[in-house]
Amino acid sequence: MKKDIEIPEVEKVHVAAVREFNKAFRTDEWNAYVINNRNTSIEMVLIVAKGHDGSKETSTMRHKVEKLPPHSFAKIEFIQDEVLTLNNEYQVTFFADNKMYEKKYLFKKNSVSEENLIELPLLPNKGILAK
């Protein structure tokens, strides 16, 4: 039954929004990253991203990372400025140590901004960690 299913707690895996300069378009932009700060690889990383706020909702985007080695990161997607006024949710599911892990990360509306930048694990640029 459902009560018999063990879903372990996710630790040392993060979703971050990072402000980066795009050389091709000569502009600053926000990009979402998944960070694996664990000592083991995570595999079959599935990420479902969507923005919402009341009646406003974005399309649901799905992303996959086949394998993310220990202490590494991968870009998920470019984040348009228009969706930063919405709650942006990232549902991350992955396999590690022969177990399935799942966690929902949230950037609350208007929380992704220059004023909230902090040092991030592993990434060279400052950014914002989702809660």
Side-chain angles (χ1 to χ4, degrees):
M1 298 296 217
K2 194 173 183 178
K3 65 179 174 31
D4 297 326
I5 299 173
E6 177 197 350
I7 299 178
E9 185 176 340
V10 174
E11 294 178 348
K12 297 186 177 184
V13 174
H14 312 281
V15 172
V18 178
R19 190 77 166 163
E20 297 175 310
F21 183 73
N22 184 322
K23 291 178 186 176
F25 295 108
R26 295 188 205 145
T27 185
D28 286 323
E29 64 186 24
W30 290 100
N31 291 297
Y33 283 85
V34 60
I35 303 168
N36 177 16
N37 204 15
R38 297 166 47 105
N39 293 325
T40 58
S41 294
I42 61 176
E43 298 179 359
M44 199 60 174
V45 184
L46 302 174
I47 304 152
V48 178
K50 66 178 177 178
H52 57 83
D53 184 29
S55 62
K56 292 182 182 179
E57 192 171 298
T58 67
S59 298
T60 300
M61 304 296 287
R62 291 170 179 82
H63 308 277
K64 180 178 104 176
V65 178
E66 206 54 54
K67 185 174 185 176
L68 197 54
H71 306 289
S72 64
F73 55 88
K75 185 175 176 179
I76 301 170
E77 65 181 3
F78 162 73
I79 307 171
Q80 293 181 332
D81 288 337
E82 295 81 19
V83 301
L84 297 177
T85 60
L86 305 174
N87 294 309
N88 286 278
E89 186 176 288
Y90 292 83
Q91 181 80 30
V92 179
T93 306
F94 61 90
F95 288 94
D97 308 320
N98 294 318
K99 294 180 183 175
M100 184 177 85
Y101 292 79
E102 183 176 67
K103 184 171 181 180
K104 190 179 293 185
Y105 297 88
L106 178 69
F107 292 109
K108 291 189 176 182
K109 61 182 178 178
N110 301 314
S111 67
V112 177
S113 66
E114 297 276 344
E115 299 83 45
N116 295 332
L117 292 174
I118 60 167
E119 296 290 328
L120 297 171
L122 304 176
L123 284 158
N125 298 347
K126 289 184 176 183
I128 295 139
L129 287 176
K131 306 278 186 220

